[in-house]
Amino acid sequence: MVGHVGSRKLNLILEIYGTARDAFMAEHNEMVRSAALTANAAGLFSRNRNLGYIEELLRSMENQGIAYFSREHERFPALLKEIPDAPVGVFCMGTLPSDNTHKVAVIGSRKCSEYGLMAARLLSKPLAQSGVVVVSGMARGVDSMAHRGAIQGGGKTIAVLGCGVDICYPSENRHLRDEIINNGCVLSEYPPGTTPTPAYFPARNRIISGLSQGVVVSEAGKKSGTLITVDQAIEQGREVFAVPGNISSYLSAGTNQLIRDGATPVSDYTDILFALGISLENSAPEKTFEKNSKIILAPDEKQVYDSLNFEPVSMDMLMEITDVAAGQLHYICTQLELKGLARRLHGSRYVKNN
């Protein structure tokens, strides 16, 4: 009914009238006099005061498996209730993890490097294996990889959207969205049918940090929108973590600046658990090579594998740092790909595949 009225104004309305029912029943002139709404907004509110519309919306939500939790509902997240300008309610598709689960946001830029993507997955996967719910925004780049890492770790994840939960944005994430719903939920303060608008995304970011005990920035440039979430996390009193990046990479300028400003540097998921006081008892994911310990590598293969990292390495560089002949090097890289230990990128560059 009030999809175009911001959460601050909605909170003011509830403060003035006490309950949503009393606000719904308030007269147009009374709402204007109380300074809850402008004349135009009160007119919109009055025109939409239609129980038939609400009943139809509820039926549609039920058919789509969409739940709504008001701030007074027992399922509304307790951490989110504490933040300034908390949403009056959230729409949910999937299963909202309970308050007794630990939650950590893993976020970063849409335009990111292979390093940023790898860092997001290498942190999200073991966090999920440790029982931590990974929260992110389902955007392209780091956010999507954070969700995928959590799912690969067999854990739960929450995607907070800047549109209605019935709308998949970006559209290419439809399969990922379905996986998130099956392994957690998608969440939004915006009613079903609300299309994505640039103004909605900074607002949804406060929910990402508000749901979480801490916020981890995998990779971000100096002007990345991700830093808006960091500002909100600091305002909410959340712990901020950042993955150190290559000092020559503009894509890591934002995360390196965060560390200079006091964010906790992260090189392993256990850094996050320790800082947040989360028990390490159930968190012992296998290391990459230990997990693949049954894979037997020839000496040349192991030399090339050990020369790879999570920054792309070119064939020319591999020839310089190994003593493997060029023809044999191509064959070895292909074998490492087939064994799932390496991944080939555009331009004959390789990275470790975990």
Side-chain angles (χ1 to χ4, degrees), residues 190-209:
Y190 302 110
T194 303
T195 55
T197 301
Y200 291 162
F201 289 92
R204 73 89 193 253
N205 290 347
R206 83 190 193 288
I207 298 178
I208 292 176
S209 55

Side-chain angles (χ1 to χ4, degrees), residues 245-257:
N246 190 323
I247 62 173
S248 66
S249 172
Y250 72 94
L251 293 172
S252 290
T255 41
N256 290 338
Q257 181 64 53

Side-chain angles (χ1 to χ4, degrees), residues 193-231:
T194 303
T195 55
T197 301
Y200 291 162
F201 289 92
R204 73 89 193 253
N205 290 347
R206 83 190 193 288
I207 298 178
I208 292 176
S209 55
L211 286 166
S212 310
Q213 293 163 261
V215 174
V216 183
V217 184
S218 170
E219 187 177 57
K222 272 193 172 179
K223 296 184 178 180
S224 171
T226 302
L227 303 182
I228 297 173
T229 312
V230 172
D231 290 340

Side-chain angles (χ1 to χ4, degrees), residues 240-245 252-266:
V240 176
F241 304 87
V243 177
S252 290
T255 41
N256 290 338
Q257 181 64 53
L258 287 175
I259 292 170
R260 286 194 293 274
D261 291 343
T264 302
V266 173

Side-chain angles (χ1 to χ4, degrees), residues 313-332:
V313 180
S314 67
M315 292 297 292
D316 289 342
M317 181 62 72
L318 284 173
M319 280 189 282
E320 285 185 21
I321 59 181
T322 67
D323 54 11
V324 180
Q328 181 70 1
L329 188 58
H330 282 280
Y331 172 77
I332 289 173

Side-chain angles (χ1 to χ4, degrees), residues 81-191:
K81 193 181 295 188
E82 297 171 1
I83 70 170
D85 189 25
V88 299
V90 290
F91 296 87
C92 175
M93 285 187 78
T95 303
L96 180 63
S98 66
D99 283 335
N100 60 13
T101 56
H102 296 291
K103 300 177 183 68
V104 171
V106 178
I107 59 173
S109 298
R110 290 172 174 81
K111 295 180 180 178
C112 57
S113 68
E114 286 294 325
Y115 173 76
L117 292 174
M118 287 290 181
R121 185 158 69 96
L122 287 173
L123 293 173
S124 297
K125 184 176 178 180
L127 282 173
Q129 288 173 327
S130 303
V132 175
V133 178
V134 175
V135 183
S136 200
M138 209 179 82
R140 296 181 180 94
V142 167
D143 286 17
S144 293
M145 185 58 77
H147 294 302
R148 290 191 177 98
I151 293 167
Q152 288 169 4
K156 301 297 182 183
T157 185
I158 299 173
V160 184
L161 308 183
C163 57
V165 294
D166 57 333
I167 293 175
C168 183
Y169 181 82
S171 58
E172 67 263 25
N173 273 351
R174 186 163 299 280
H175 178 68
L176 175 61
R177 173 178 171 269
D178 292 343
E179 285 192 294
I180 292 169
I181 291 171
N182 290 330
N183 295 275
C185 67
V186 293
L187 211 65
S188 177
E189 67 179 317
Y190 302 110

